[in-house]
Amino acid sequence: MSPTPREYNKMSEKAAPNSKLWKNVGMAFLVGGLICTIGQGILSWTQWLGLSQEEGGAVTSIALIFLSALLTGLNRYDDLAKHAGAGTLVPITGFANSMVSPALEFKREGLILGVGAKMFSIAGPVILYGISASVLYGLIIALFH
Amino acid sequence: MEWVITFGKAFLVGGLLCAIGQIFIDKTKLTPARILVGYVVMGVLLSALGVYGPLVSFAGAGATVPLTGFGHLLATGVQKAVAERGLLGALTGGLTAAAAGITAAMIFGLLTALLFTPGDKS
Amino acid sequence: MAVKTGNYTYLLENTPSVLSFGAVGSKKESEGPLGQYFDVINPDSTFGENSWEKAESKMVQISVEKALSKGHFEPEQIDMAFAGDLLNQCIGSVYGLRDLGIPFVGLYGACSTMAESLALAALFVDTAIAKRALAVTSSHFCSAERQFRFPLEYGGQRPPTSQWTVTGSGACVVGESDTAPYVRAVTIGCIEDLGIKDANNMGAAMAPAAAKTIARYLADTRTRPEDYDLILTGDLGQVGSALLEQLLEQEKIHLQGRHQDCGLLIYDRQQQDVHAGGSGCGCAASVLCSFILPKIRKGTLGDVLFVATGALMSPTSSMQGESIPGVAHLVHLSSSRRRKGVE
């Protein structure tokens, strides 16, 4: 009399508590927006210093990545992310955290196969498919324009 | 007053892009890595379609800081490189434009691994 | 001598005793409702070691030392150790027991390992193959996270169905004696898989195995849930516990408030941010060895069915998109040697 996998899947979906969607979305909006606002602060400052748009953008990224790496090293980024969810995942700080956290975590496995290899375990696919998409785009414009 | 509007736009657009990500986290079984890949590829696509450029002019860091902005950076890099160097630019443009960000993450990652110790969660 | 009854259950006619036991935990476990019952609490979850894997082995070592010293045993007096944990190749147990010189049987039953090891230890003693046998398991939040999920500093959000791996270990010495708790029967579970694929919902993946094992035991022994004071599952958590009761209802078995789950006992889910409850080999093991066994020894609990459940997936099978098979083993623990249920 045991249920079929399909019936059981329904049972288990019913038994699972719902995540608090609106609270989570609100937190993601707030924290994500705030990180972007900090980014805007740095960007505006670089423009005030007279840097070009491109240079300013690079400095902004570097500064945010530095802050993310620092908070990750101090074991604070994950505490923030627990509440912020996508708010700390989607900004460039989340990308930095995805590289810094495995590097730190797998330190015990050595500098080569630990830090070196594991650093890309989460961010690797992001870089790979981002670059691949850009190459595809480049081919299209090079061949058809 | 002008800076309030600049910052407000960055907050709003950046926040919205993150809120969409949260819906993916809560409503689908997509892992964070898949969501990030999706954002970057989406950024390349939207930039190629000419949608993301205007969003960047409108929202500044609100559009460049989320990972779709990283995709946009790759796409504009390729555009520029192809214009300058032709087909070869398709291979060099993306990584050249993203070099600062990726290198910074690698170097700060290495330094963090060397200087800090991993800790338990509470 | 153990005799098989029905298709899956062994009655232990010599009723071996759990002679002594020890439980170790860390900070989060000490802050939970059962914190005061642990033998050893170290708020520093590194246990003074420089890796999480070594910290887990240290816990194994401490819980075994505690179980041995409480019963005044030397390692040489133990004929066989049954041990396992969640780490690849069971290194938690291996390094924890390395220096003791006890014949070692490594087990992998994921979070069901405490019932598996206790069942085997009791069978070995009941059949007089071993005079005394040791059962020990462990889990560590940090070593499990980095093996199965993400680096600890990674900013991820845990879904509400996810469970928190207990940092803890429990060890039992089983032998012949006239003191409770007695092991009266064991049921070895089959692998059950109803197609759950979500590694963040292990309770749902394991509940069918628990339901099957409980139903089989009750059928084999011709007893009913009312014959027991407590039916204690390992780490089904909130979601799995609800599903277990529904699955058994479908088989016309009503647990009627006799069911509790170690994963729900060990933490305060309102205060401790553990979502659906605790999990891990150390969850069932430490709750059993800290909270349940002393009560059976004192007689405040009479008959307990200890049903630890395990989710038998690996990071590889998860990445390849396979569903999560579950297993549950059952140990009938009792404060008396005489069966009070219907034979």
Side-chain angles (χ1 to χ4, degrees), chain A residues 18-22 24-25 28-41 43-44 53-54 58 60-66 69-70 72-75 78-79 82 84-96 98-100 103-105 107 111 115 119-120 122 125-127 129-131 133-139 141-143, chain B residues 6-8 10-23 25-27 32-33 35-37 39-41 44 47-49 56 59-68 70-71 73-76 78-80 82 86-87 89-91 93-95 98 100-102 104-110 112-122:
Chain A
N18 285 321
S19 51
K20 297 168 188 137
L21 181 66
W22 292 113
N24 289 350
V25 169
F29 178 76
L30 216 68
V31 177
L34 219 62
I35 292 173
C36 292
T37 312
I38 295 170
Q40 185 61 49
L43 188 65
S44 299
Q53 189 78 32
E54 205 174 299
T60 307
S61 293
I62 294 166
L64 288 175
I65 288 166
F66 172 76
L70 185 67
T72 304
L74 295 170
N75 300 328
D78 56 313
D79 298 336
K82 191 168 79 182
T88 45
L89 176 77
V90 169
I92 188 104
T93 51
F95 174 74
S98 79
M99 284 177 78
V100 178
L104 177 57
E105 180 65 53
K107 182 178 177 173
L111 285 175
V115 175
M119 180 182 274
F120 297 96
I122 307 165
V126 178
I127 298 174
Y129 292 109
I131 299 280
S134 79
V135 169
L136 187 67
Y137 174 48
L139 285 176
I141 45 178
L143 295 176
Chain B
T6 311
F7 279 62
F11 179 81
L12 216 66
V13 172
L16 271 175
L17 284 168
C18 294
I20 294 168
Q22 188 65 40
I23 295 172
I25 292 180
D26 282 340
K27 284 286 160 193
I35 294 173
L36 290 188
V37 169
Y39 262 72
V40 172
V41 173
V44 175
S47 184
L49 294 173
V56 171
T64 55
V65 169
L67 270 190
T68 36
F70 191 66
L73 191 66
L74 294 169
T76 47
V78 154
Q79 256 171 359
K80 205 172 131 206
V82 169
L87 200 53
L91 286 178
L95 208 47
I102 294 175
M106 281 163 63
I107 294 302
F108 293 139
L110 178 60
T112 306
L114 295 176
L115 295 175
F116 292 93
T117 44
D120 199 348
K121 272 191 208 266
S122 55

Side-chain angles (χ1 to χ4, degrees), chain A residues 8 75 82 97 105 108-109, chain C residues 50 146 152-153 155 157 204:
Chain A
Y8 187 64
N75 300 328
K82 191 168 79 182
N97 171 254
E105 180 65 53
R108 275 287 299 154
E109 277 79 352
Chain C
N50 63 4
R146 74 203 297 271
L152 293 161
E153 293 74 21
Q157 225 171 12

